[in-house]
Amino acid sequence: MSVFSCGGMRYQHSWKDLPQFEIPKDSQHNLEANIHRSIELGINHLETARMYGTSEIQIGQILPKFPRDKIIVQTKVLPTEDPLEFRENLKQSLQNLQLEFVDLLAIHGINTPELLAYTLRPGGCLDEARKFQKQGRVRYIGFSTHGSPETIVQTIESGEFDYVNLHWYYINQSNWPAIEAARRHDMGVFIISPSNKGGMLYKPPTKLTELCRPLSPMVFNDLFCLSRSEVHTLSLGAARPSDFEEHLKVLPLLSRVEEVLLPILDRLERAAIEALGEQWYKTWHFGLPNFDETPGQVNVPVILWLRNLAVAYDLVEYGKMRYNLLGNGSHWFPGQKAENLDLQLLRSSLANSPHAEIIPKILQEADELLGGQEVKRLSQQ
C-alpha cells in the first residue's frame, strides 16, 4: 500500500445519495481527474464510505476501468443495531462501486461501547461482514473510529480486525496507545484527515508557518506521521488533482527524518511553553473528567486542548471550527461547549486536576475566544 491514500469524502458532488443522472458532468470529471492523478503518482489506495453521499456511486463509474490488481479499494459501512440493515448497506456499497469485491471493509465509526457491541456481539455486524468475506466479496476487515483511546484499544484488543482508521497527528497525539496496540496485533494503521483535522493545514496561520520552516505545516505534519514505522498510510482528502502536490514534498525527506524534523519539534515545543507556561503545558491534561462526568456534558479536555492550540500556535480558526461543532457532533465529536457554566458543580468534577482553581476561568476565556455560530459535520450539511 502507498504511504498516501486517495480519500473520497471531498470530491463528490453531494453529501446526499443521488442517482447518477443527477450528478453534473463537471463534478464527475473532477472526481475522475483526482483518481487518475492519484494513480499516476503511485497512490494505489482509494477509499470512500457508504455515508459519503454520492462518493461511492461516482467512484463506481471509473473503478471498473482500472486493472483490478492495481488498485486497493476501501469502503466503510456504519454499524447498526439491526445487522440486516448493515448487510443491506454493504450490498448497496458493492453495487455502487460496481466491484465484485472490496479489498478493505471498515466498520465505520466504532466510537462508543454501544457501537462496539453492535459490531462484535454474536450475529452482529461483524458476523454479517464475515459472510461477505467468506463469499470473496470482502478481503480484509478493519474499523474506523473517532472514539476515545480507551474504546479504540478495546476494539483492537478484541483481535477481530486487520486494520484501523484513526486520528493521530502532531496537534493530537492522544491515540498513540491505540497505535501501539495495533502494532502488537499486527494491524495496518491508516491516519484519517491529517491536513483538515490536523489543523486546517491548507490555510495555516502565519505563526505556525514560521515555526515549521523550512517546511510547510502540511509537509511537516506528513513527515511527523510517516516518521513512525507504526503508521502505514495517510488519507489525502483531495478536492482537486492539484491538492496532491504539496504532500509529495515529504517523500524525499523520509530518509532525513531526524535532521529535518527535530529542529521543528523543538521550536514548536518552546513556542508552546512560552505562550502557555511550562507547568500548564506539561500538566494541563492531568485528572480531567470525561465529558459524560461533567455537568452539562461540557467537554473540558477538548476545550482546553483547542484553547491551547489557539494560544500557542494561533490556530484560532481551527479552534472555532472544532469548538462550535460541540453539541452537534453526536458520538463523532461528543460533548458540549463551555456556555452557561455552573461553576460550583464544575469545580466538583475537577477535583482530580492540579489546575482545578483556574480551569473554570480558562473555559470561560475559551468560549469567548472560540465561540460563535454552530458548526455541523460535513455529512449534515
Side-chain angles (χ1 to χ4, degrees):
M1 179 178 287
S2 50
V3 296
F4 292 133
S5 295
C6 181
M9 69 175 291
R10 293 195 178 274
Y11 50 38
Q12 79 275 40
H13 171 63
S14 172
W15 281 96
K16 297 179 180 179
D17 279 327
L18 296 172
Q20 183 67 37
F21 69 83
E22 291 188 21
I23 297 169
K25 290 183 179 179
D26 59 345
S27 172
Q28 184 64 27
H29 176 76
N30 179 66
L31 179 142
E32 294 189 6
N34 271 277
I35 293 178
H36 277 296
R37 182 58 178 153
S38 72
I39 298 297
E40 290 171 3
L41 295 171
I43 299 173
N44 63 347
H45 178 213
L46 312 173
E47 67 96 10
T48 183
R50 178 76 287 276
M51 66 179 294
Y52 290 176
T54 60
S55 178
E56 282 184 334
I57 198 168
Q58 288 187 258
I59 291 172
Q61 298 299 303
I62 186 173
L63 291 184
K65 300 176 183 179
F66 293 104
R68 189 63 185 88
D69 61 347
K70 300 299 182 183
I71 55 174
I72 299 170
V73 179
Q74 174 183 214
T75 196
K76 306 184 289 291
V77 178
L78 295 169
T80 53
E81 185 173 10
D82 181 358
L84 298 184
E85 180 182 354
F86 174 86
R87 179 202 299 173
E88 291 305 309
N89 288 334
L90 178 50
K91 286 171 63 177
Q92 185 65 56
S93 286
L94 290 167
Q95 180 179 324
N96 288 346
L97 293 169
Q98 299 191 44
L99 296 175
E100 293 183 4
F101 69 92
V102 290
D103 302 275
L104 306 173
L105 168 68
I107 311 295
H108 189 33
I110 299 183
N111 302 333
T112 67
E114 180 181 46
L115 292 169
L116 178 58
Y118 292 167
T119 302
L120 294 184
R121 67 188 178 191
C125 298
L126 182 60
D127 280 353
E128 287 297 325
R130 296 285 185 218
K131 293 175 184 177
F132 283 77
Q133 192 176 40
K134 289 178 180 178
Q135 295 166 4
R137 304 178 73 187
V138 168
R139 294 188 67 202
Y140 300 99
I141 299 174
F143 72 99
S144 68
T145 179
H146 293 220
S148 68
E150 294 78 15
T151 297
I152 302 173
V153 169
Q154 183 182 359
T155 307
I156 290 169
E157 296 290 357
S158 72
E160 294 287 351
F161 297 98
D162 297 310
Y163 67 96
V164 57
N165 298 7
L166 81 174
H167 294 284
W168 185 80
Y169 18 75
Y170 179 73
I171 66 167
N172 184 0
Q173 301 176 43
S174 61
N175 282 336
W176 183 250
I179 293 177
E180 290 182 311
R183 182 168 189 165
R184 291 195 300 272
H185 286 263
D186 194 27
M187 292 170 60
V189 173
F190 172 109
I191 301 300
I192 301 169
S193 191
S195 297
N196 184 276
K197 304 302 190 300
M200 293 171 62
L201 301 179
Y202 37 81
K203 49 179 179 179
T206 300
K207 183 176 183 179
L208 184 63
T209 299
E210 292 299 322
L211 289 169
C212 290
R213 291 194 186 279
L215 309 182
S216 69
M218 185 181 291
V219 173
F220 157 74
N221 193 53
D222 287 352
L223 185 61
F224 175 82
C225 293
L226 293 174
S227 69
R228 304 307 297 257
S229 62
E230 295 88 347
V231 171
H232 302 116
T233 187
L234 312 184
S235 180
L236 309 184
R240 59 195 65 81
S242 60
D243 286 350
F244 294 108
E245 302 308 313
E246 184 68 15
H247 295 281
L248 299 179
K249 296 177 182 178
V250 77
L251 300 179
L253 304 175
L254 294 175
S255 61
R256 302 167 49 214
V257 169
E258 290 191 7
E259 171 194 348
V260 177
L261 204 56
L262 293 183
I264 300 173
L265 292 172
D266 181 62
R267 282 200 302 275
L268 288 166
E269 182 176 58
R270 284 191 283 109
I273 289 173
E274 181 179 355
L276 300 169
E278 186 168 7
Q279 184 180 15
W280 176 266
Y281 173 77
K282 292 183 175 179
T283 64
W284 68 270
H285 55 288
F286 289 0
L288 295 178
N290 293 326
F291 75 93
D292 53 2
E293 301 169 333
T294 306
Q297 294 197 328
V298 175
N299 198 329
V300 174
V302 163
I303 296 169
L304 295 180
W305 165 64
L306 292 174
R307 175 262 182 188
N308 289 346
L309 294 176
V311 172
Y313 305 128
D314 288 351
L315 281 166
V316 177
E317 188 173 356
Y318 173 77
K320 288 181 177 180
M321 182 268 289
R322 300 302 287 167
Y323 181 73
N324 292 294
L325 184 59
L326 290 171
N328 302 299
S330 68
H331 57 78
W332 298 91
F333 196 65
Q336 301 292 326
K337 297 190 287 187
E339 298 176 311
N340 306 314
L341 293 174
D342 185 325
L343 298 182
Q344 192 61 39
L345 289 175
L346 179 63
R347 285 192 175 93
S348 66
S349 68
L350 296 171
N352 294 323
S353 168
H355 305 288
E357 290 301 314
I358 63 172
I359 283 177
K361 181 180 179 181
I362 293 175
L363 290 172
Q364 290 176 319
E365 292 173 352
D367 186 67
E368 293 172 5
L369 176 65
L370 304 176
Q373 187 174 2
E374 71 176 30
V375 173
K376 295 183 178 180
R377 298 185 65 242
L378 288 173
S379 60
Q380 299 171 319
Q381 296 177 10

